[in-house]
Amino acid sequence: MAMIGDKLPDFQAGVDYWTNTAASVDGVLGGYGHGTPVPRLDAASSRMLILSILPELSTITPPHKSTMDASKRHRRRFRALDCGAGIGRVSATVLLPLFDQVDLVEPVQKFLQQAVKNAESGAEGWKGVKQGSKCARLWLAGLQYFDPLQPAIPVSGGKSELMATLGSSNIHCPNPATRLTLEEDGYDLIMIQWCIGHLSDEQLVDYLKRSRKALRQDKDGKCEGLIIVKENICKDSESDGAGIIFDDDDSSVTRSDKVFKQIFQQAGLTLMRRELQMGFPKELFQVVSYVLQ
Ligand code: SAH
């Protein structure tokens, strides 16, 4: 372990680490897979958080509304982006059950290939994709090279490739090589979970700024979409108060709450809500969801 001053995340070392990791839930969760409460608790908490901040996603009519209202209600197409998606665990258990169209971005090809297999099997939220009521696009890229506003155009010096488009061809997919029309096609949610330790502070600030620019807006230009950062946090006192721990195994950093808040401020984001994940095994880092706009 070393301080961030000594070491920054190295993209290739991170990709190498994950390429040598099993393409399974157990693999992407560092051994805390289906034999543990982690995947279910994580997904259930995320879905509840998302429904509470974007209640219009709910397909259930609240009891105080008449059924007349429900039949008249027009449900528009909702879009989400799964960042550092791995094998698509978050898409399958959190995003696809709620959103119509999901983009996944992930730099490890083997993981995306597994996501395609999972989609073909129709397991969990992939069911809607297999049945053709939903659609998903898989992008091969590191977040430092990915621009949610125009995914086919990589950030200078990098690569961003469309690996697969799955599911309904009836759902209009915005052209990835031109800037999104935010009112029509902006993301309702950009979900960033358990991956941004692979970005330096500078890369992370830039990525959050690009993400903010790709969120849905209303017709008056008011931002309606949200970003959720769900990540491990270490203690503020870690590394002599720097609040950052470097992990040599996968070449990533774990940041403290204070460090995250500074980064969000630098990216010009407003913290709307902060939720601590409950129920995880005690030996793990604390996990926090930050809801940002
Ligand atoms: N978010 C997923 C995967 C977690 S594992 C989930 O919660 O299930 C961490 C993921 O981060 C791996 O898939 C790894 O390949 C990815 N990753 C590594 N470097 C990255 C980078 N620079 N940009 C985006 N993702 C990265």
Side-chain angles (χ1 to χ4, degrees):
M1 300 234 176
M3 284 199 295
I4 188 131
D6 302 322
K7 276 191 160 181
L8 289 171
D10 177 81
F11 179 50
Q12 196 54 47
V15 167
D16 291 347
Y17 170 88
W18 289 107
T19 301
N20 288 310
T21 300
S24 63
V25 171
D26 217 33
V28 294
L29 295 186
Y32 285 87
H34 290 308
T36 78
V38 171
R40 267 169 180 257
L41 274 177
D42 170 57
S45 311
S46 293
R47 286 194 308 266
M48 276 174 43
L49 175 63
I50 292 168
L51 279 173
S52 74
I53 55 175
L54 293 169
E56 55 287 22
L57 285 174
S58 178
T59 49
I60 300 161
T61 314
H64 60 277
K65 297 246 174 170
S66 77
T67 42
M68 271 292 282
D69 283 356
S71 66
K72 275 192 205 152
R73 202 163 47 132
H74 169 66
R75 190 183 189 276
R76 65 165 160 81
R77 193 169 42 88
F78 287 91
R79 300 188 71 223
L81 176 64
D82 182 357
C83 304
I87 60 169
R89 183 189 67 86
V90 175
S91 286
T93 58
V94 178
L95 302 176
L96 283 165
L98 298 174
F99 296 83
D100 304 285
Q101 194 176 40
V102 177
D103 282 316
L104 293 79
V105 50
E106 161 62 42
V108 170
Q109 192 157 16
K110 157 178 135 173
F111 284 173
L112 288 182
Q113 285 162 348
Q114 184 61 47
V116 171
K117 279 190 208 157
N118 295 350
E120 283 166 353
S121 80
E124 300 174 314
W126 292 113
K127 192 168 147 201
V129 173
K130 190 175 182 188
Q131 292 176 344
S133 59
K134 309 227 164 175
C135 88
R137 291 187 302 188
L138 276 53
W139 297 92
L140 183 66
L143 293 180
Q144 67 274 39
Y145 302 130
F146 189 77
D147 184 356
L149 198 57
Q150 39 190 358
I153 315 286
V155 174
S156 58
K159 275 195 193 156
S160 172
E161 285 171 49
L162 180 60
M163 231 192 72
T165 303
L166 308 169
S168 173
S169 51
N170 299 331
I171 300 181
H172 146 84
C173 274
N175 181 345
T178 56
R179 293 165 70 93
L180 285 180
T181 312
L182 297 177
E183 198 189 322
E184 285 283 302
D185 294 319
Y187 289 106
D188 298 284
L189 177 69
I190 297 187
M191 182 83 188
I192 307 173
Q193 180 168 6
W194 281 328
C195 64
I196 49 173
H198 288 287
L199 266 54
S200 67
D201 288 3
E202 204 185 334
Q203 288 171 332
L204 179 51
V205 168
D206 288 347
Y207 184 67
L208 290 171
K209 285 184 181 166
R210 288 197 295 281
S211 295
R212 175 70 166 73
K213 289 187 184 145
L215 294 177
R216 189 185 294 277
Q217 290 182 356
D218 71 8
K219 55 183 183 323
D220 303 320
K222 185 174 162 285
C223 183
E224 287 190 318
L226 294 159
I227 300 172
I228 295 182
V229 170
K230 186 169 187 180
E231 290 285 339
N232 292 347
I233 58 164
C234 67
K235 295 205 168 69
D236 289 330
S237 58
E238 211 73 56
S239 304
D240 296 331
I244 297 181
I245 303 174
F246 187 83
D247 182 341
D248 268 313
D249 287 343
D250 64 356
S251 190
S252 74
V253 294
T254 302
R255 299 175 167 96
S256 72
D257 188 60
K258 199 163 89 189
V259 171
F260 269 121
K261 284 178 176 158
Q262 282 163 1
I263 285 173
F264 299 149
Q265 202 174 12
Q266 279 177 46
L269 296 174
T270 307
L271 181 59
M272 320 281 282
R273 194 146 141 198
R274 178 188 181 281
E275 195 177 276
L276 184 65
Q277 174 68 51
M278 306 301 279
F280 277 6
K282 281 198 206 64
E283 68 274 16
L284 297 180
F285 281 116
Q286 282 197 328
V287 175
V288 169
S289 295
Y290 298 94
V291 180
L292 303 152
Q293 197 172 53

